[in-house]
Amino acid sequence: MITIKLHTFRVALLTAGVASMFDPALAQDATIAELTKPASSVSAGIGYWTDDRRQQGIYDGMRDRGPYGLLDLDVVKRDDATGTWLTFSGRNLGLTTREFRGEWLRQGDIGAFIEYSRIPRDNPYIVNTGLQGIGSDRLIVSGAGATAFGFGNIDLGTVRDVANLGFFKHLMPGLNFRVNFKNDRKEGTRMWGRGGAPEFAVEPIDSTTRQLDARLDYTGKVFQLSGGYYGSWYNNAYNLVNTTLNGGAAATQYFLSLPLDNEAHQVYLDGGMNFTASTRGTLKIQYTRATQDERLPTRDIAGLSLATAPTNLDGQVDTTLVQLGLTSRPTSRLSLAANLRYHDVREKTPQARYVQTGAGTCATTATCVDNTPLSFRTLTGKVEGTYRLPMQFSVIGGVDLRNQDRTIPVGAGSINVAGVDRQRYVPFRADIDETTYRVQLRRSMSETVNGSVAFLHSKRDGSAYSLTNETESDEINPIHIADRKRNKWRASLDWMPAEQLSFQFNIEDARDKYGTSAARPYGLRDGDAVLYSVDANYALNDKWQVNAYYSHDKTKATQFGQRATTGTAAPAEKLAQLEDVGNAFGVGVQGRTSERLRIGMDLQWIRNESKYPETITLTGAGTVFPAGITGPLPEIDNKLIRLKLFAAYALQKSSELRFDVIHERWETNDWTWQFANGTPFVYGTATDGTMVLADPKQTSNFVGVRYIHRFR
Amino acid sequence: MKVVRIVAAMATCMLAALATSAATAASAPKDLVLKGDAKCTTCHDEGDSPRVLEIGKTRHGTIADRRVGTCTSCHGESDKHIADAEKGGKKPAPPDVAFGPKAPTPVNARNGACLSCHQGGTRIHWQSSTHAARDVACSSCHQIHTAHDKARDRYTQTETCFKCHKEQRAQINRPSHHPVVEGKMSCSSCHNVHGDNPKQLARASVNETCFSCHMEKRGPFVHNHQPVQEDCGICHNPHGTTIANLLKSRPPFLCQECHSHTSHPSQASGLPTARTTGTTALGSVARGCLNCHTNIHGSNSTQNSATAGRFRR
């Protein structure tokens, strides 16, 4: 029996093979099915990093030396008769960065999906501390001598678990309903400060963010409308952290506030209408109400709040957005676009006094603090025209206008004297106006050369400054509201000298000049930014491709300020000339050495240098720096080299083995966590004692092997 | 017996092949993927341009969805292209609507082909977007004839965006960055590249966009920090920087862009030579000014005036 079955099978096989040989239609069907039917794959393997990668492994779930499981899935099934898709994709399933998505969809009718993604963020530093209570809302800092705690290394970091659910229903021709719900749970710990003193603390993180978006989309040939509701909720498990110093006096107990629960509800409407074949109008309306009304945690602790202070902030911010847009192409050569946008953020939180130390009038014998509700309205308008010239050239010109109007949150009543806001530490402008002119010449759709040159000029100024209660504070032009002139050039060129070879060149140059005056000499004076880059692609033949890029960027800022007398240090004026230089180079090669073997290489070299020279000109008697401080700050140099190699060998038509090798080298001389002599920074003098170490050189190698199987 | 069976099988195959060939020759050209695509796929078949047929793997190739068109829905009737091809010889005229980098079809017409179905939802404002104004075609970013469109995959999307956005390519590889390189976020996590919000953001403003993940910064707080409430981008560069927490500049320089107080806020930059708690020595090292002003995004504390209003607690 067995022999007969075997013969029957062999003959059947032979028949099918020969039939396909003689019937090209059968062979063609198989080829077409392979080209047109969705395919699935599974990839499983193992990899190994030879050393820790505290800097480069912050987010990728492979920070520590050791083995890692490599598992990816991509399953796609489609029922052609009904257009029903069933898909499941999973990535990094063997790592802490795992994620998956499952979807069922009857295309054009109804569908739903579920997504999950874990996003870790590991702190790159080694922290040696005696701090007790990490991860909770009660922290105790190590004292001195007998009150010191035992020390140990701790790992800090957060993990986000993001889940997303979605549903879609096609209701009638042109009309769809969609709803999305996203739940983002974040847990872990974050480096912090104790606030009352420069001491180490750790913020406990246990919060949940939820977002719901439900919308109806109507899409017609002439008219489109989309409207819905977007709600978002933030919930924090902690609202206050109680910190004490072991053995410290009662006055060294500090309560650190945390973000409180808040929520926002938005209704929105987007519309578009084609008035004619060449003219279209759009509309955007949004109204949002955000509130924060959780009970203030310090309100219930004796001595931490004014007796008459509200127990809740009753915070409310209403935001209105209205935008109208018009685009038109009156002739085949000319197109125009214009829009007007009104964005109003209005904080309606009642103003109240929360703090008062001392008795009597706030402006004289007492120090008082009110909450500071802030409102601002931004009105922007844009007009732009494009005119198409012969030889595929076009010229674009445009003007942008931006007006911002803020409501100055001055303290109520007795806090302020003669127009001076005693609660503020920075001068303030109610109105800001900015006008931007743009012009661009571009050539597109040429056989071999495309490119553009653009120039932008903008000017920002505003109303008179409202004053603070301190002369020196008033002498600055705050960066975001200061007078500013900006000139920006941008040029790009795509050049294809041969079918197989292409280049892309980019140059960008931006220069900002900030306004100063005799009464207000301090702040940022100017800022420059340049970027050059070149990209090249070369297809040697059908089997081999090479690409490479180089990019260079430099940003500079000149910042002028005053320094008050500090200890032995004299009063002075400071001129800092900050500079950041970035260089990046990459080259990639991919090819096929045979029908079965593909190989490739990708090299990345990145260097970032930062310079902080600061010239100090003394304006009085004293030393340049206070005792125990040296300057200026040293330069910082960050370097990364990453070389990736891969080889994929096809075992069969539907399966392959892939080998990956990575060499990664990260090097820095960043002194952020160091004293002037290069030793690790330590908090406190006698107490605390937390030491933070950054590993300046991290070299690690990765080897990985995967088996990949494709199927239908 | 075995030989007889084999001969019989071969004979059956040959007859079947002959019969099939005859039938094929007699019938009209058959659609390969889409309804009515024979007009195109008689030439653009698996031998001529196999990648074209891969549209069958996509949503555009799901013919059970009656909204799905055929080749000519996007490429136009292309009569001249077909007539030239039938004549043979010279290279035929391009289709009425062609999408390649050197295609003569104006970008407006190329995008019109896509927008005839995809104008709704988050693409309502496409025409007034910066991308549209700069003649970016849908096909500049999207690959239609493939199951795996790089622009729609978080892990590969940057390859598309960085073709033009070189500054962001440089920034995203800096030591402090969002997890874009690692594939946990993509450009479209924050940007709606089909929309016309400022900076083509996904939401109406910078802050609204940032709050979708960093909602703890939304407040309102008892003590608001004014620039924080207005624009996260005043202090942070979300694409990447060399300073922790995506800061644009390093404390104390960053803080001194606005603050010029007497006492320690005006300190010159410098590093302490030894352990200290002096505030004039700690503006540059460790967390800089944030060593003490730890709740810099806003505070809800009501503990005494010197700390509450200055984001220390």
Side-chain angles (χ1 to χ4, degrees):
Chain A
M1 274 303 274
I2 293 170
T3 310
I4 292 167
K5 275 187 178 172
L6 192 62
H7 280 181
T8 309
F9 169 73
R10 280 178 179 164
V11 171
L13 200 67
L14 182 66
T15 305
V18 174
S20 66
M21 246 173 65
F22 282 90
D23 184 354
L26 279 183
Q28 186 196 31
D29 284 351
T31 307
I32 289 170
E34 193 174 319
L35 288 168
T36 61
K37 304 296 177 196
S40 302
S41 67
V42 57
S43 163
I46 189 164
Y48 186 87
W49 280 102
T50 58
D51 283 285
D52 291 353
R53 314 157 55 238
R54 297 190 76 90
Q55 173 63 35
Q56 297 306 313
I58 289 174
Y59 292 116
D60 70 6
M62 295 188 284
R63 189 187 69 165
D64 299 328
R65 167 187 175 170
Y68 292 93
L70 309 172
L71 179 61
D72 300 313
L73 278 173
D74 188 15
V75 180
V76 185
K77 294 289 173 194
R78 182 177 67 193
D79 177 22
D80 289 341
T82 60
T84 304
W85 296 76
L86 185 61
T87 61
F88 181 86
S89 64
R91 272 175 169 157
N92 304 330
L93 296 176
L95 304 173
T96 53
T97 52
R98 56 187 164 268
E99 60 187 53
F100 67 80
R101 177 188 169 98
E103 182 174 18
W104 176 86
L105 172 73
R106 198 155 65 218
Q107 196 174 314
D109 180 13
I110 190 170
F113 71 85
I114 181 170
E115 268 180 348
Y116 166 81
S117 176
R118 171 167 277 208
I119 307 174
R121 189 193 185 285
D122 295 321
N123 187 297
Y125 305 118
I126 299 164
V127 179
N128 183 267
T129 186
L131 185 71
Q132 301 289 301
I134 290 170
S136 77
D137 58 1
R138 294 186 69 84
L139 296 174
I140 310 172
V141 176
S142 177
T147 58
F149 294 130
F151 275 53
N153 289 350
I154 57 165
D155 271 331
L156 302 176
T158 56
V159 171
R160 280 177 186 264
D161 286 303
V162 185
N164 206 346
L165 293 167
F167 172 77
F168 153 82
K169 174 67 184 158
H170 180 68
L171 300 173
M172 61 176 72
L175 188 65
N176 294 321
F177 171 72
R178 289 176 198 279
V179 60
N180 262 285
F181 176 72
K182 186 176 178 182
N183 191 83
D184 182 350
R185 177 87 193 268
K186 187 177 178 184
E187 290 178 288
T189 50
R190 191 177 75 90
M191 284 177 103
W192 216 22
R194 205 160 78 92
E199 291 171 334
F200 179 71
V202 172
E203 180 183 352
I205 293 174
D206 183 359
S207 62
T208 305
T209 301
R210 296 184 179 90
Q211 295 171 79
L212 175 71
D213 190 353
R215 60 192 295 162
L216 274 171
D217 293 328
Y218 171 76
T219 306
K221 289 285 176 199
V222 174
F223 179 60
Q224 301 84 34
L225 199 62
S226 180
Y229 164 81
Y230 168 61
S232 54
W233 297 263
Y234 172 77
N235 178 263
N236 196 352
Y238 299 108
N239 56 23
L240 190 72
V241 175
N242 177 0
T243 73
T244 52
L245 173 65
N246 196 30
T252 59
Q253 182 180 21
Y254 310 136
F255 293 89
L256 286 111
S257 70
L258 287 168
L260 301 177
D261 298 353
N262 63 69
E263 59 191 62
H265 305 273
Q266 180 183 87
V267 287
Y268 59 89
L269 186 71
D270 292 274
M273 188 165 186
N274 300 324
F275 298 121
T276 67
S278 59
T279 302
R280 178 174 173 79
T282 53
L283 166 73
K284 190 184 292 185
I285 301 174
Q286 289 178 7
Y287 181 78
T288 312
R289 172 161 293 178
T291 57
Q292 191 270 85
D293 199 27
E294 191 179 347
R295 189 176 179 86
L296 297 171
T298 48
R299 184 66 181 77
D300 299 325
I301 300 172
L304 291 194
S305 189
L306 188 63
T308 56
T311 54
N312 299 51
L313 179 65
D314 196 15
Q316 182 178 320
V317 180
D318 293 347
T319 304
T320 308
L321 171 70
V322 180
Q323 183 178 312
L324 298 169
L326 188 70
T327 55
S328 181
R329 198 164 176 148
T331 71
S332 62
R333 289 191 177 278
L334 179 66
S335 54
L336 299 167
N339 74 37
L340 192 63
R341 191 173 202 266
Y342 170 88
H343 188 236
D344 185 37
V345 180
R346 199 136 302 273
E347 182 168 355
K348 295 180 176 172
T349 307
Q351 201 165 356
R353 181 141 307 147
Y354 286 84
V355 181
Q356 180 169 346
T357 51
T361 308
C362 294
T364 52
T365 55
T367 308
C368 307
V369 180
D370 292 353
N371 62 311
T372 50
L374 171 73
S375 298
F376 55 100
R377 174 190 55 70
T378 310
L379 192 63
T380 50
K382 183 179 89 170
V383 181
E384 186 174 286
T386 304
Y387 190 77
R388 287 161 191 84
L389 301 162
M391 295 175 64
Q392 290 155 351
F393 279 99
S394 52
V395 62
I396 301 165
V399 181
D400 296 355
L401 300 169
R402 183 172 190 268
N403 167 262
Q404 198 167 35
D405 181 11
R406 297 175 180 79
T407 303
I408 301 175
V410 293
S414 57
I415 286 188
N416 304 303
V417 180
V420 169
D421 185 352
R422 292 170 64 89
Q423 284 206 131
R424 300 202 68 81
Y425 307 98
V426 176
F428 194 84
R429 265 178 152 172
D431 282 308
I432 301 292
D433 292 298
E434 185 163 18
T435 306
T436 305
Y437 303 93
R438 283 177 284 111
V439 62
Q440 184 177 28
L441 178 69
R442 60 185 301 131
R443 188 182 190 214
S444 55
M445 294 186 295
S446 149
E447 284 287 314
T448 54
V449 182
N450 299 316
S452 72
V453 182
F455 174 69
L456 175 154
H457 171 77
S458 74
K459 187 178 179 219
R460 183 174 74 186
D461 54 24
S463 59
Y465 284 88
S466 70
L467 301 180
T468 71
N469 195 31
E470 185 186 81
T471 306
E472 290 80 357
S473 290
D474 284 330
E475 290 176 338
I476 198 166
N477 299 281
I479 182 173
H480 62 300
I481 54 176
D483 289 353
R484 184 183 70 188
K485 283 182 185 166
R486 168 171 288 177
N487 289 306
K488 201 169 181 177
W489 284 95
R490 182 177 290 171
S492 69
L493 178 71
D494 291 356
W495 179 39
M496 208 166 177
E499 189 67 34
Q500 305 88 348
L501 180 64
S502 65
F503 292 99
Q504 195 183 16
F505 302 93
N506 279 273
I507 301 175
E508 295 177 23
D509 182 302
R511 288 166 200 269
D512 289 348
K513 189 89 181 160
Y514 290 85
T516 59
S517 65
R520 204 176 297 284
Y522 302 132
L524 209 59
R525 285 195 159 172
D526 52 59
D528 300 344
V530 293
L531 176 121
Y532 312 107
S533 74
V534 56
D535 290 57
N537 283 284
Y538 183 48
L540 280 75
N541 50 43
D542 289 347
K543 293 179 179 170
W544 287 91
Q545 284 199 328
V546 183
N547 62 74
Y549 80 91
Y550 170 71
S551 120
H552 169 85
D553 61 89
K554 183 189 278 190
T555 57
K556 292 199 287 187
T558 306
Q559 196 169 326
F560 189 48
Q562 59 83 25
R563 183 190 61 190
T565 304
T566 311
T568 60
E573 287 189 324
K574 308 167 296 179
L575 185 71
Q577 290 176 306
L578 312 175
E579 188 174 303
D580 278 298
V581 180
N583 284 287
F585 170 72
V587 59
V589 181
Q590 283 201 18
R592 189 181 283 277
T593 60
S594 70
E595 279 306 305
R596 283 179 177 268
L597 184 63
R598 289 183 298 123
I599 59 172
M601 179 277 280
D602 189 28
L603 173 70
Q604 252 189 325
W605 175 86
I606 296 163
R607 183 175 185 183
N608 290 289
E609 298 163 272
S610 303
K611 298 172 185 173
Y612 306 96
E614 188 169 49
T615 306
I616 299 172
T617 306
L618 305 185
T619 55
T623 58
V624 175
F625 285 99
I629 302 167
T630 63
L633 297 172
E635 294 178 9
I636 293 178
D637 195 354
N638 296 303
K639 280 182 267 190
L640 172 69
I641 294 177
R642 190 182 285 131
L643 174 65
K644 292 180 178 178
L645 303 168
F646 84 88
Y649 183 77
L651 300 168
Q652 294 174 324
K653 197 170 184 182
S654 60
S655 62
E656 68 179 23
L657 268 180
R658 181 181 164 114
F659 300 90
D660 286 281
V661 176
I662 302 173
H663 171 72
E664 184 182 86
R665 198 164 68 201
W666 155 257
E667 206 175 323
T668 183
N669 60 358
D670 193 334
W671 41 256
T672 300
W673 292 95
Q674 291 175 1
F675 289 119
N677 64 2
T679 56
F681 176 77
V682 181
Y683 279 95
T685 48
T687 58
D688 192 346
T690 299
M691 183 165 67
V692 180
L693 297 113
D695 187 356
K697 197 169 183 177
Q698 298 168 26
T699 303
S700 194
N701 298 299
F702 176 84
V703 287
V705 58
R706 291 164 176 266
Y707 173 76
I708 300 165
H709 178 66
R710 297 184 185 86
F711 58 98
R712 282 197 170 72
Chain B
M1 191 61 188
K2 184 177 167 184
V3 174
V4 172
R5 274 189 192 153
I6 292 171
V7 170
M10 290 181 74
T12 308
C13 291
M14 290 180 76
L15 285 170
L18 285 169
T20 312
S21 304
T24 307
S27 63
K30 195 175 73 170
D31 293 339
L32 296 184
V33 189
L34 303 167
K35 284 174 187 161
D37 73 13
K39 183 177 182 180
C40 307
T41 56
T42 44
C43 291
H44 300 295
D45 60 6
E46 73 282 6
D48 174 71
S49 39
R51 298 299 302 271
V52 166
L53 301 186
E54 288 195 24
I55 199 162
K57 293 178 178 176
T58 73
R59 301 276 168 95
H60 286 121
T62 308
I63 54 175
D65 182 352
R66 275 174 280 172
R67 301 169 307 170
V68 169
T70 187
C71 312
T72 51
S73 306
C74 300
H75 293 283
E77 291 301 324
S78 307
D79 292 335
K80 179 146 179 40
H81 174 75
I82 293 167
D84 286 354
E86 282 171 351
K87 280 183 209 157
K90 66 170 186 173
K91 188 181 173 186
D96 291 351
V97 183
F99 296 89
K102 293 180 182 176
T105 310
V107 168
N108 195 40
R110 295 188 218 184
N111 290 349
C114 305
L115 291 168
S116 64
C117 294
H118 296 284
Q119 177 74 81
T122 54
R123 289 169 296 272
I124 283 179
H125 302 283
W126 164 258
Q127 281 85 344
S128 50
S129 71
T130 305
H131 277 146
R134 299 295 171 269
D135 273 352
V136 174
C138 306
S139 55
S140 302
C141 304
H142 291 289
Q143 299 163 295
I144 310 302
H145 290 263
T146 174
H148 191 87
D149 178 8
K150 281 184 179 178
R152 300 185 72 231
D153 184 329
R154 227 175 30 231
Y155 283 78
T156 53
Q157 190 184 77
T158 53
E159 289 177 35
T160 302
C161 304
F162 292 163
K163 279 182 194 168
C164 296
H165 298 282
K166 307 299 181 188
E167 185 183 2
Q168 286 70 26
R169 176 178 66 182
Q171 290 167 337
I172 211 75
N173 282 303
R174 293 195 172 144
S176 179
H177 60 262
H178 274 114
V180 176
V181 178
E182 293 82 0
K184 302 307 289 183
M185 285 178 75
S186 64
C187 306
S188 60
S189 300
C190 302
H191 296 278
N192 172 11
V193 295
H194 307 116
D196 68 349
N197 282 329
K199 303 174 198 292
Q200 297 207 234
L201 288 167
R203 300 214 166 266
S205 67
V206 171
N207 282 23
E208 281 185 43
T209 305
C210 300
F211 293 158
S212 63
C213 289
H214 302 285
M215 218 171 278
E216 72 278 10
K217 314 284 192 299
R218 181 162 65 185
F221 297 94
V222 174
H223 311 287
N224 291 320
H225 195 175
Q226 181 249 329
V228 175
Q229 298 301 109
E230 282 193 22
D231 186 348
C232 308
I234 293 170
C235 298
H236 299 278
N237 183 337
H239 298 118
T241 75
T242 55
I243 304 154
N245 299 315
L246 297 161
L247 290 176
K248 282 179 163 176
S249 183
R250 175 180 291 275
F253 304 111
L254 176 71
C255 307
Q256 290 173 353
E257 287 174 353
C258 293
H259 293 275
S260 175
H261 315 183
T262 54
S263 184
H264 74 271
S266 66
Q267 66 186 270
S269 60
L271 291 176
T273 54
R275 292 177 68 173
T276 178
T277 54
T279 50
T280 52
L282 291 166
S284 306
V285 74
R287 301 176 73 234
C289 304
L290 279 65
N291 281 318
C292 296
H293 302 275
T294 197
N295 275 333
I296 203 67
H297 294 106
S299 158
N300 290 309
S301 176
T302 57
Q303 193 170 4
N304 82 45
S305 64
T307 56
R310 297 174 190 177
F311 312 114
R312 285 169 60 191
R313 293 174 191 168

